[in-house]
Amino acid sequence: TTPENMLQTLVFHSSCSQNLFLKDRFGASQLVVFVNEQQGVSTCFFNATFTLNIASRPESIALARINSLVSTTNYGTFNFTDQVFDATIGPGQTLSPAPTFDVVIDLTVVTNNIVFTILSARNPVGNLCNGATDFLSFTTGLALPPNVPTRAPTGAPTRTPVPTPDPEFTSCEIQPIVDCDVTNGGGLLGCNNIGRPLDTRCLTGGLPRELEFIYRGGDCASSTTSQTFECNGDANLNQVWITVISENQNILWNRITTRGTFMDLRGVDDSMTVDIYPVLDTGSGFRPDTDNILQRMVFATNCTATSDLNLLDTFGALE
């Protein structure tokens, strides 16, 4: 018998005799991790540890005494002031132990991860040192398609060494190997006989699984699309910072973009907002100069006659 206060009962196959995919839903429950002997642990989540390495430059002439240390992220604010207050660092020395914090990243959701850290310190006579900041931004995740099977989550984020090695003194070996394969030609097409696309207009009535744009540079008046869309400004710099956010607030793109870059956007819904900024060098990293936006656009991205999405159409600085 079923208790009167029971809300839901479920019976499903869990032996892999029937397909199981990450993010499958069974009533009120959702599969986020599975483990088996052949595949090991498969999970939607990545446990990321961030370490704040704090050092004083060798050319400094005095001790630095820390006042505060705060990191602001899209997972919350981490305040290490109580841990590091009054700690001293001499010229060329590093704070030990380095403060760390952990976050859990869902790799099946497109996420722009941001870590902004502010350090305040003073010299022995009480004068404040020059403010130090660090800005880290990286994108993780892969938007799930509307049907199953689901795609595998992306790998863990990585970061290049800081500072970047000097190319004049860093050895480098390159051995390019170029292969060409047609992945959807049914075995009938090769790289020497690829034909024109069968359709150049998106008219399914639904949402595209993904869209790919190229940053070309341009103003609103030069747009070739027949869609009536919101557009202000002119973006013609060779290198800009582009942020693309869907109507449902999925961050589809948020990074430095050079002219000619292909932008593969997944997680698209009915419309998107595109903001294009100059790139600001803070001395410890790069970020968008949000006080001087170059171009903002809002346009529809569904496959309807109103949107009229056609290959090679341009929307301001994007094609």
Short mmCIF file of all heavy atoms in Angstrom, two decimals, residues 214-225 227 229-237 240 259 274 276 293-297 299 313-319:
data_model
loop_
_atom_site.label_atom_id
_atom_site.label_comp_id
_atom_site.label_asym_id
_atom_site.label_seq_id
_atom_site.Cartn_x
_atom_site.Cartn_y
_atom_site.Cartn_z
N ILE A 214 30.93 35.29 -37.21
CA ILE A 214 32.31 35.76 -37.35
C ILE A 214 32.32 37.24 -37.00
O ILE A 214 31.45 38.00 -37.44
CB ILE A 214 32.86 35.57 -38.77
CG1 ILE A 214 32.77 34.11 -39.21
CG2 ILE A 214 34.31 36.04 -38.86
CD1 ILE A 214 33.21 33.90 -40.65
N TYR A 215 33.32 37.63 -36.17
CA TYR A 215 33.48 39.06 -35.91
C TYR A 215 34.22 39.68 -37.09
O TYR A 215 35.39 39.42 -37.33
CB TYR A 215 34.27 39.30 -34.63
CG TYR A 215 34.66 40.76 -34.44
CD1 TYR A 215 33.69 41.75 -34.37
CD2 TYR A 215 36.00 41.14 -34.36
CE1 TYR A 215 34.04 43.08 -34.22
CE2 TYR A 215 36.36 42.47 -34.21
CZ TYR A 215 35.38 43.44 -34.15
OH TYR A 215 35.73 44.76 -34.01
N ARG A 216 33.49 40.52 -37.87
CA ARG A 216 34.05 41.18 -39.05
C ARG A 216 34.39 42.64 -38.76
O ARG A 216 35.27 43.21 -39.39
CB ARG A 216 33.06 41.13 -40.21
CG ARG A 216 32.69 39.74 -40.68
CD ARG A 216 33.83 39.09 -41.39
NE ARG A 216 33.40 37.91 -42.15
CZ ARG A 216 34.23 37.02 -42.67
NH1 ARG A 216 35.54 37.17 -42.51
NH2 ARG A 216 33.78 35.98 -43.34
N GLY A 217 33.65 43.25 -37.82
CA GLY A 217 33.75 44.69 -37.62
C GLY A 217 32.77 45.41 -38.52
O GLY A 217 32.52 45.00 -39.66
N GLY A 218 32.18 46.50 -38.02
CA GLY A 218 31.24 47.24 -38.85
C GLY A 218 30.26 48.03 -38.01
O GLY A 218 30.19 47.90 -36.78
N ASP A 219 29.48 48.89 -38.70
CA ASP A 219 28.49 49.69 -38.00
C ASP A 219 27.10 49.13 -38.26
O ASP A 219 26.92 48.18 -39.01
CB ASP A 219 28.58 51.16 -38.43
CG ASP A 219 28.43 51.34 -39.93
OD1 ASP A 219 27.91 50.41 -40.60
OD2 ASP A 219 28.85 52.39 -40.45
N CYS A 220 26.12 49.74 -37.61
CA CYS A 220 24.74 49.25 -37.72
C CYS A 220 24.18 49.44 -39.13
O CYS A 220 23.46 48.59 -39.66
CB CYS A 220 23.85 49.95 -36.70
SG CYS A 220 24.35 49.69 -34.98
N ALA A 221 24.52 50.58 -39.75
CA ALA A 221 23.95 50.90 -41.06
C ALA A 221 24.39 49.93 -42.15
O ALA A 221 23.71 49.76 -43.16
CB ALA A 221 24.33 52.33 -41.45
N SER A 222 25.54 49.27 -41.96
CA SER A 222 26.04 48.36 -42.99
C SER A 222 25.44 46.96 -42.87
O SER A 222 25.81 46.07 -43.64
CB SER A 222 27.56 48.27 -42.91
OG SER A 222 27.97 47.75 -41.66
N SER A 223 24.55 46.72 -41.90
CA SER A 223 23.94 45.40 -41.74
C SER A 223 23.17 45.00 -42.98
O SER A 223 22.49 45.82 -43.60
CB SER A 223 23.00 45.40 -40.52
OG SER A 223 23.68 45.78 -39.34
N THR A 224 23.26 43.72 -43.35
CA THR A 224 22.58 43.23 -44.56
C THR A 224 21.34 42.42 -44.25
O THR A 224 20.59 42.07 -45.16
CB THR A 224 23.53 42.38 -45.39
OG1 THR A 224 23.92 41.22 -44.64
CG2 THR A 224 24.76 43.17 -45.81
N THR A 225 21.10 42.08 -42.97
CA THR A 225 19.92 41.29 -42.63
C THR A 225 18.65 42.08 -42.89
O THR A 225 18.64 43.31 -42.78
CB THR A 225 19.97 40.85 -41.16
OG1 THR A 225 18.79 40.12 -40.85
CG2 THR A 225 20.07 42.05 -40.24
N GLN A 227 16.08 41.56 -41.02
CA GLN A 227 15.43 41.61 -39.72
C GLN A 227 15.51 43.03 -39.14
O GLN A 227 16.55 43.67 -39.22
CB GLN A 227 16.10 40.62 -38.76
CG GLN A 227 15.46 40.56 -37.39
CD GLN A 227 16.20 39.65 -36.42
OE1 GLN A 227 16.29 39.93 -35.22
NE2 GLN A 227 16.74 38.55 -36.92
N PHE A 229 16.08 45.04 -36.08
CA PHE A 229 16.67 44.72 -34.78
C PHE A 229 17.27 45.98 -34.17
O PHE A 229 17.53 46.97 -34.85
CB PHE A 229 17.72 43.62 -34.91
CG PHE A 229 18.98 44.02 -35.62
CD1 PHE A 229 20.14 44.29 -34.92
CD2 PHE A 229 19.02 44.14 -37.02
CE1 PHE A 229 21.31 44.65 -35.57
CE2 PHE A 229 20.18 44.49 -37.67
CZ PHE A 229 21.33 44.76 -36.94
N GLU A 230 17.49 45.91 -32.86
CA GLU A 230 18.07 47.04 -32.12
C GLU A 230 19.59 47.04 -32.31
O GLU A 230 20.25 46.03 -32.11
CB GLU A 230 17.74 46.92 -30.64
CG GLU A 230 18.34 48.01 -29.77
CD GLU A 230 18.06 47.79 -28.29
OE1 GLU A 230 17.05 47.13 -27.98
OE2 GLU A 230 18.85 48.28 -27.47
N CYS A 231 20.15 48.20 -32.70
CA CYS A 231 21.59 48.29 -32.91
C CYS A 231 22.04 49.72 -32.69
O CYS A 231 21.45 50.66 -33.25
CB CYS A 231 21.96 47.81 -34.32
SG CYS A 231 23.74 47.82 -34.65
N ASN A 232 23.09 49.87 -31.90
CA ASN A 232 23.67 51.19 -31.65
C ASN A 232 25.19 51.07 -31.61
O ASN A 232 25.74 50.16 -31.00
CB ASN A 232 23.18 51.75 -30.30
CG ASN A 232 21.70 52.03 -30.28
OD1 ASN A 232 21.23 52.99 -30.87
ND2 ASN A 232 20.95 51.17 -29.60
N GLY A 233 25.87 52.01 -32.30
CA GLY A 233 27.32 52.07 -32.21
C GLY A 233 28.04 51.49 -33.40
O GLY A 233 27.45 51.02 -34.37
N ASP A 234 29.37 51.51 -33.31
CA ASP A 234 30.24 51.08 -34.40
C ASP A 234 31.44 50.37 -33.77
O ASP A 234 32.11 50.91 -32.89
CB ASP A 234 30.70 52.32 -35.18
CG ASP A 234 31.62 51.99 -36.34
OD1 ASP A 234 31.90 50.79 -36.55
OD2 ASP A 234 32.07 52.92 -37.03
N ALA A 235 31.70 49.13 -34.20
CA ALA A 235 32.83 48.35 -33.66
C ALA A 235 33.74 47.96 -34.81
O ALA A 235 33.40 47.09 -35.61
CB ALA A 235 32.31 47.11 -32.93
N ASN A 236 34.90 48.59 -34.90
CA ASN A 236 35.83 48.32 -35.99
C ASN A 236 37.25 48.05 -35.52
O ASN A 236 38.16 48.00 -36.34
CB ASN A 236 35.83 49.48 -36.99
CG ASN A 236 34.91 49.21 -38.18
OD1 ASN A 236 35.00 48.15 -38.80
ND2 ASN A 236 34.03 50.14 -38.47
N LEU A 237 37.45 47.88 -34.20
CA LEU A 237 38.79 47.57 -33.70
C LEU A 237 39.17 46.14 -34.08
O LEU A 237 38.32 45.26 -34.20
CB LEU A 237 38.83 47.72 -32.18
CG LEU A 237 38.52 49.12 -31.63
CD1 LEU A 237 38.56 49.10 -30.10
CD2 LEU A 237 39.51 50.14 -32.17
N VAL A 240 38.57 43.16 -29.73
CA VAL A 240 37.53 43.69 -28.86
C VAL A 240 37.16 42.62 -27.84
O VAL A 240 37.61 41.48 -27.90
CB VAL A 240 36.26 44.08 -29.66
CG1 VAL A 240 36.54 45.25 -30.59
CG2 VAL A 240 35.73 42.88 -30.46
N ARG A 259 39.44 40.16 -34.93
CA ARG A 259 38.74 40.20 -36.21
C ARG A 259 38.96 38.88 -36.96
O ARG A 259 40.08 38.38 -37.07
CB ARG A 259 39.24 41.37 -37.05
CG ARG A 259 38.35 41.68 -38.26
CD ARG A 259 38.99 42.75 -39.13
NE ARG A 259 39.24 43.98 -38.40
CZ ARG A 259 38.37 44.98 -38.29
NH1 ARG A 259 37.19 44.87 -38.85
NH2 ARG A 259 38.69 46.07 -37.63
N VAL A 274 24.06 41.39 -27.75
CA VAL A 274 25.49 41.40 -28.04
C VAL A 274 26.06 42.75 -27.63
O VAL A 274 25.61 43.79 -28.12
CB VAL A 274 25.76 41.15 -29.55
CG1 VAL A 274 27.26 41.16 -29.83
CG2 VAL A 274 25.14 39.83 -29.98
N ILE A 276 29.72 44.87 -27.39
CA ILE A 276 31.10 44.87 -27.86
C ILE A 276 31.83 46.05 -27.21
O ILE A 276 31.38 47.19 -27.32
CB ILE A 276 31.17 44.96 -29.40
CG1 ILE A 276 30.34 43.83 -30.03
CG2 ILE A 276 32.61 44.90 -29.88
CD1 ILE A 276 30.32 43.84 -31.55
N ILE A 293 31.35 51.38 -24.24
CA ILE A 293 30.81 50.36 -25.14
C ILE A 293 30.87 50.84 -26.58
O ILE A 293 30.58 52.00 -26.89
CB ILE A 293 29.38 49.98 -24.72
CG1 ILE A 293 28.88 48.78 -25.54
CG2 ILE A 293 28.44 51.17 -24.85
CD1 ILE A 293 27.59 48.20 -25.01
N LEU A 294 31.30 49.94 -27.47
CA LEU A 294 31.40 50.28 -28.89
C LEU A 294 30.10 50.03 -29.64
O LEU A 294 29.68 50.83 -30.47
CB LEU A 294 32.52 49.45 -29.54
CG LEU A 294 33.93 49.66 -28.99
CD1 LEU A 294 34.89 48.66 -29.60
CD2 LEU A 294 34.40 51.08 -29.27
N GLN A 295 29.46 48.90 -29.33
CA GLN A 295 28.25 48.54 -30.07
C GLN A 295 27.38 47.62 -29.21
O GLN A 295 27.90 46.75 -28.51
CB GLN A 295 28.60 47.83 -31.38
CG GLN A 295 27.42 47.61 -32.32
CD GLN A 295 27.89 47.03 -33.65
OE1 GLN A 295 28.15 45.84 -33.77
NE2 GLN A 295 28.03 47.89 -34.66
N ARG A 296 26.08 47.84 -29.25
CA ARG A 296 25.12 46.94 -28.60
C ARG A 296 24.05 46.56 -29.61
O ARG A 296 23.54 47.42 -30.34
CB ARG A 296 24.48 47.59 -27.38
CG ARG A 296 23.20 46.89 -26.94
CD ARG A 296 22.73 47.28 -25.57
NE ARG A 296 23.51 46.62 -24.54
CZ ARG A 296 23.11 46.53 -23.26
NH1 ARG A 296 21.97 47.06 -22.88
NH2 ARG A 296 23.86 45.91 -22.37
N MET A 297 23.73 45.27 -29.65
CA MET A 297 22.68 44.77 -30.55
C MET A 297 21.77 43.80 -29.81
O MET A 297 22.23 43.07 -28.92
CB MET A 297 23.32 44.04 -31.75
CG MET A 297 24.22 44.90 -32.61
SD MET A 297 24.89 43.96 -34.01
CE MET A 297 26.10 42.93 -33.16
N PHE A 299 18.89 41.04 -31.20
CA PHE A 299 18.19 40.54 -32.38
C PHE A 299 17.64 39.14 -32.13
O PHE A 299 18.11 38.41 -31.25
CB PHE A 299 19.07 40.56 -33.64
CG PHE A 299 20.39 39.87 -33.51
CD1 PHE A 299 20.52 38.52 -33.75
CD2 PHE A 299 21.54 40.60 -33.18
CE1 PHE A 299 21.76 37.89 -33.66
CE2 PHE A 299 22.77 39.99 -33.08
CZ PHE A 299 22.88 38.62 -33.33
N ASP A 313 24.34 36.75 -43.71
CA ASP A 313 23.75 38.02 -43.28
C ASP A 313 24.63 38.65 -42.21
O ASP A 313 25.28 37.96 -41.43
CB ASP A 313 22.34 37.78 -42.69
CG ASP A 313 21.27 37.78 -43.76
OD1 ASP A 313 21.60 38.02 -44.92
OD2 ASP A 313 20.09 37.52 -43.41
N THR A 314 24.68 39.97 -42.17
CA THR A 314 25.46 40.67 -41.16
C THR A 314 24.55 41.43 -40.22
O THR A 314 23.54 41.99 -40.62
CB THR A 314 26.48 41.64 -41.80
OG1 THR A 314 25.77 42.61 -42.60
CG2 THR A 314 27.47 40.89 -42.66
N PHE A 315 24.93 41.40 -38.92
CA PHE A 315 24.28 42.17 -37.87
C PHE A 315 25.35 43.08 -37.27
O PHE A 315 26.16 42.62 -36.44
CB PHE A 315 23.70 41.25 -36.80
CG PHE A 315 22.61 40.34 -37.27
CD1 PHE A 315 22.91 39.16 -37.96
CD2 PHE A 315 21.27 40.64 -37.03
CE1 PHE A 315 21.91 38.31 -38.38
CE2 PHE A 315 20.27 39.79 -37.45
CZ PHE A 315 20.58 38.63 -38.13
N GLY A 316 25.41 44.32 -37.68
CA GLY A 316 26.46 45.20 -37.18
C GLY A 316 27.84 44.64 -37.48
O GLY A 316 28.19 44.39 -38.64
N ALA A 317 28.62 44.37 -36.42
CA ALA A 317 29.98 43.89 -36.59
C ALA A 317 30.08 42.38 -36.76
O ALA A 317 31.17 41.86 -36.97
CB ALA A 317 30.82 44.31 -35.38
N LEU A 318 28.94 41.66 -36.70
CA LEU A 318 28.95 40.20 -36.80
C LEU A 318 28.34 39.73 -38.11
O LEU A 318 27.40 40.34 -38.64
CB LEU A 318 28.18 39.59 -35.64
CG LEU A 318 28.62 39.93 -34.22
CD1 LEU A 318 27.80 39.16 -33.21
CD2 LEU A 318 30.10 39.64 -34.04
N GLU A 319 28.87 38.62 -38.62
CA GLU A 319 28.29 37.98 -39.81
C GLU A 319 27.85 36.57 -39.46
O GLU A 319 28.60 35.82 -38.83
CB GLU A 319 29.35 37.91 -40.92
CG GLU A 319 28.84 37.22 -42.18
CD GLU A 319 29.90 37.12 -43.26
OE1 GLU A 319 30.98 36.54 -42.98
OE2 GLU A 319 29.68 37.63 -44.37
#
